[in-house]
Amino acid sequence: KRCAKDPLYWARQIAAAIERDAPAIAIITNVRRWDEAQFYRGLGCVLVRVASLNPNGSPYVPRDRDMNDPLETELDGRNA
């Protein structure tokens, strides 16, 4: 698999598309890993964490995935 050889494969593909297409703004969703965050930050990107909330203001916790999975927690508490 591509990601096994290069964990940043998809991030590099996105960066190449942004460079090629030169949009005024690019929004990259679903950055979940520290290495991805650092890669994008190294390109001059600004990362913004978006959190879903319940109507009462508490954090929304999806029930369709394990919220303890490293992909869900790796950026917690980090200034990504």
Side-chain angles (χ1 to χ4, degrees), residues 1-43:
K1 290 186 171 190
R2 293 177 185 137
C3 289
K5 293 180 182 176
D6 179 6
L8 293 174
Y9 175 81
W10 290 113
R12 293 182 204 287
Q13 297 302 305
I14 292 167
I18 291 170
E19 185 174 337
R20 179 189 67 237
D21 298 343
I25 189 170
I27 298 174
I28 304 166
T29 62
N30 211 21
V31 176
R32 294 170 150 206
R33 295 189 343 254
W34 181 247
D35 59 342
E36 290 175 316
Q38 293 303 97
F39 174 80
Y40 290 125
R41 192 176 256 160
L43 296 176

Side-chain angles (χ1 to χ4, degrees), residues 49-63 65 67 76:
R49 184 179 186 121
V50 177
S52 297
L53 302 176
N54 292 310
N56 67 4
S58 65
Y60 170 74
V61 179
R63 296 179 185 194
R65 60 184 183 257
M67 295 310 293
D76 289 354

